[in-house]
Amino acid sequence: MTTDREKVRLIFGLKIKQLRNDLGLSTYELADRTGLSPSYLNEIEKGKKYPKTEKIFALAKALNSNYDTLVSLQVSKSLEPVVELLNSNILTELPLDLFGIEPGYFLEVMATAPAKLSAFINTLIEIGRNYDLSVEQFYFSALRTYQAMHNNYFEELEKQADTFLTDYPRPELPGQYGNWLIRVLNEVYGCTVDFYDETTQPALMSLRSVYLPEQQKLLVNSELSIEQQVFTLSREVGYHWLGLTIRPLESSVLEARSFDEVLHNFQASYFARCILIPRQQLLDKLRIMVQQPDWDNERMLQMLAQFTVTPEMFLLRVTNLLSGYFGLNNLFFLRFNQLLNGRFIMAKELHLSKLHTPHGIARDEHYCRRQMSVTILNELRQLQESGQWDGQPICRAQRISFVTNNTTYFVFSIAKSSPPTPDNSSINIGFPIDETLLEKIPFIGDPKLPTVQVGETCERCPIADCTVRAAPPTVLSHQQRMKTIQATIEQLRAASSGK
């Protein structure tokens, strides 16, 4: 929903449908009165077609209206919320087509009960305002839903990457990846690559890269690790190879101007992981790994070390293939950041199949310090502060059992520093444990793996003797008070009725 012409078509179609319904006419009866086919009338009412002048006159006569009323943008009171919605550009921001919803159908539903649906939309907007949800957060929520719909596996992007690697084979030595990608950008797309530092671009040091379309130039932060530099270059190749011109110019989406920017950034990033971690190469390793009877942290790190990628890139790629080839669609992917002040933030989450625990929590709550995703970050920070960290990622795994809902997950984490920031990050994949999963992946039942009781956040946790609690269980206490009050009221009502 981007053009005035589309808006005019939709409004015209809704007016025709409303007038037809007011007269109690079916589509076939209106077709008899106008000489237009029922299918053509259906296209008009859905906003897909706009009739010529003589047909509008025929419609006006059949509907006891007139030409000027039909072509005017003035609408009845019941359709005013629809026009308000159109003019607000909300339909432009909602990626309806991504979820198989035609804007015309959405407006048709709204026209049926405009006041109720308009109030519902306004309620969602108000909730977003109260929780300080930005447009970017809305876009990323829509993207996560899109990924979950496809189990985070996209065959078309996989094929595009295969074709690229056929045309431009990857060098055998990882140390040559940077030059390989720069050569493709230079020779195929006329894109130059410059590296900047604190001296040349001090204001850009918090970013990993910036693209200047006017100069066809990619600026890359020289403080990035080799893995980050290679991914940045691969993603830039992805933008060009996939023809994605609507895109963010910064490595981090500072201000998304449209959902297309967020979607295309995801597609270019997916493509980048595909060419850096070809599916067949990783599939062979995953097939061996899932057959092992026990878990081995070093085995996972050795697999990571065979690719010039960060832990986040690697584990995201693992989720693609676990869902696409192993049928493990009931998983979650989380990234936790630990800031220099010790605070933990869930920076990224993806839940396939359903919303798992843990997940993004309302503001100002403290994630459970017993979970591997958090304890591994504390371990890494201690190694750094004592001078014992060798700069390599660390890997840990555990089974976690949530005391609040009795669900048990197998979770493995890889943690590393996250330049150019001073933060550390843990990348986590988790699976809810059931008999089917234990049969598919024997090492999840490894008796040497610790099983730990956890809560979701300290504010919601009933574990009374927790030694690492960061905050009192205020949310839980409030919920318990409400239950006590409700139970007391029910008892009083029962007593008064003589039951």
Side-chain angles (χ1 to χ4, degrees):
M1 185 64 50
T2 57
T3 68
D4 290 339
R5 180 176 295 181
E6 289 173 310
K7 293 178 184 179
V8 169
R9 285 204 309 263
L10 281 166
I11 292 173
F12 182 85
L14 290 171
K15 290 169 76 171
I16 294 298
K17 181 174 182 178
Q18 185 181 55
L19 289 169
R20 178 175 63 77
N21 288 336
D22 289 346
L23 292 173
L25 297 175
S26 69
T27 304
Y28 290 96
E29 289 171 328
L30 183 58
D32 288 339
R33 290 190 180 192
T34 59
L36 305 176
S37 70
S39 60
Y40 183 63
L41 286 173
N42 190 46
E43 295 282 284
I44 290 174
E45 290 187 359
K46 288 184 176 180
K48 294 182 177 180
K49 296 290 178 69
Y50 192 88
K52 294 181 180 179
T53 301
E54 64 271 16
K55 294 178 181 178
I56 296 176
F57 275 113
L59 285 165
K61 182 178 179 181
L63 295 169
N64 298 334
S65 185
N66 58 71
Y67 179 90
D68 290 340
T69 298
L70 292 187
V71 299
S72 168
L73 294 182
Q74 297 296 317
V75 296
S76 63
K77 187 174 181 179
S78 63
L79 289 180
E80 284 179 357
V82 180
V83 176
E84 183 180 346
L85 181 66
L86 278 171
N87 293 331
S88 71
N89 288 326
I90 290 177
L91 289 182
T92 302
E93 296 176 357
L94 286 168
L96 297 175
D97 57 333
L98 209 61
F99 304 104
I101 302 174
E102 294 184 4
Y105 173 75
F106 183 83
L107 290 174
E108 182 181 344
V109 173
M110 187 168 186
T112 305
K116 293 180 180 179
L117 193 52
S118 181
F120 173 69
I121 291 173
N122 288 334
T123 299
L124 294 179
I125 293 172
E126 187 65 23
I127 290 172
R129 288 172 180 159
N130 288 340
Y131 282 88
D132 295 330
L133 294 178
S134 65
V135 174
E136 288 80 8
Q137 289 170 312
F138 170 79
Y139 289 156
F140 282 115
S141 295
L143 176 63
R144 286 193 295 270
T145 302
Y146 175 64
Q147 290 176 260
M149 283 173 57
H150 294 271
N151 292 320
N152 201 33
Y153 179 80
F154 296 85
E155 180 63 24
E156 181 55 37
L157 293 174
E158 300 280 349
K159 290 179 178 177
Q160 288 280 2
D162 290 343
T163 302
F164 174 82
L165 290 174
T166 299
D167 293 349
Y168 304 99
R170 198 178 57 158
E172 292 185 7
L173 298 178
Q176 298 174 347
Y177 287 0
N179 290 334
W180 162 58
L181 294 163
I182 290 174
R183 186 170 64 253
V184 171
L185 288 170
N186 286 340
E187 297 178 1
V188 181
Y189 299 109
C191 175
T192 58
V193 179
D194 285 349
F195 291 84
Y196 64 88
D197 56 24
E198 182 71 44
T199 303
T200 56
Q201 297 292 346
L204 302 182
M205 291 307 294
S206 63
L207 300 177
R208 296 186 179 184
S209 66
V210 176
Y211 180 66
L212 306 176
E214 299 82 4
Q215 304 176 38
Q216 288 190 281
K217 179 181 292 187
L218 179 68
L219 303 179
V220 180
N221 190 332
S222 61
E223 295 297 316
L224 300 183
S225 66
I226 295 299
E227 294 83 3
Q228 290 172 327
Q229 289 183 15
V230 167
F231 173 74
T232 298
L233 294 168
S234 299
R235 183 175 56 190
E236 190 60 38
V237 170
Y239 283 125
H240 291 279
W241 179 266
L242 300 173
L244 305 176
T245 56
I246 301 174
R247 51 167 293 180
L249 303 182
E250 311 86 8
S251 55
S252 302
V253 180
L254 300 180
E255 182 181 4
R257 289 166 285 273
S258 70
F259 178 76
D260 282 344
E261 283 194 4
V262 174
L263 176 62
H264 293 168
N265 179 67
F266 162 74
Q267 291 171 332
S269 299
Y270 190 106
F271 174 90
R273 290 190 292 272
C274 288
I275 65 174
L276 293 176
I277 312 174
R279 57 176 161 179
Q280 193 57 55
Q281 188 176 349
L282 181 56
L283 267 175
D284 293 341
K285 301 180 188 307
L286 288 176
R287 287 186 173 120
I288 295 173
M289 185 191 77
V290 299
Q291 295 172 0
Q292 301 305 310
D294 59 348
W295 172 262
D296 187 338
N297 293 324
E298 288 304 314
R299 185 190 300 133
M300 177 59 64
L301 291 176
Q302 288 168 8
M303 195 186 307
L304 166 63
Q306 294 178 50
F307 303 96
T308 307
V309 296
T310 65
E312 181 170 355
M313 286 184 268
F314 177 70
L315 292 189
L316 275 171
R317 189 71 176 122
V318 167
T319 66
N320 300 149
L321 301 187
L322 287 179
S323 61
Y325 285 86
F326 294 86
L328 298 175
N329 301 328
N330 195 12
L331 59 81
F332 65 75
F333 172 94
L334 302 176
R335 170 178 172 161
F336 276 90
N337 289 350
Q338 184 182 30
L339 310 185
L340 252 160
N341 61 10
R343 183 184 174 200
F344 297 97
I345 298 173
M346 186 183 290
K348 186 176 292 186
E349 62 177 315
L350 176 65
H351 302 265
L352 303 186
S353 177
K354 66 176 184 178
L355 184 62
H356 297 286
T357 304
H359 55 80
I361 296 296
R363 296 168 295 176
D364 302 327
E365 293 190 32
H366 299 76
Y367 290 100
C368 178
R369 268 50 176 171
R370 293 166 170 248
Q371 296 180 38
M372 182 63 67
S373 52
V374 172
T375 60
I376 194 174
L377 286 171
N378 282 331
E379 180 184 349
L380 176 58
R381 186 68 75 191
Q382 290 169 5
L383 289 172
Q384 291 170 332
E385 291 175 352
S386 65
Q388 299 179 53
W389 188 50
D390 60 3
Q392 297 303 308
I394 60 175
C395 179
R396 301 289 182 265
Q398 71 176 174
R399 287 181 292 262
I400 57 176
S401 179
F402 284 91
V403 295
T404 50
N405 56 21
N406 295 319
T407 55
T408 303
Y409 292 86
F410 168 76
V411 181
F412 66 94
S413 305
I414 299 180
K416 195 177 184 294
S417 61
S418 185
T421 72
D423 305 338
N424 291 330
S425 61
S426 71
I427 314 301
N428 311 270
I429 295 180
F431 308 87
I433 299 176
D434 56 25
E435 291 301 321
T436 302
L437 185 69
L438 290 169
E439 290 177 5
K440 285 186 175 181
I441 311 179
F443 63 68
I444 288 179
D446 184 353
K448 297 191 297 298
L449 281 173
T451 301
V452 181
Q453 279 198 322
V454 301
E456 190 164 1
T457 67
C458 296
E459 286 80 358
R460 301 167 189 264
C461 182
I463 301 176
D465 59 349
C466 179
T467 59
V468 291
R469 180 182 289 279
T474 52
V475 174
L476 178 66
S477 298
H478 175 74
Q479 292 170 343
Q480 292 172 337
R481 283 197 303 271
M482 292 301 101
K483 288 181 179 179
T484 300
I485 291 171
Q486 290 169 354
T488 302
I489 292 173
E490 289 299 319
Q491 292 172 1
L492 292 172
R493 291 181 64 190
S496 65
S497 64
K499 294 182 180 179

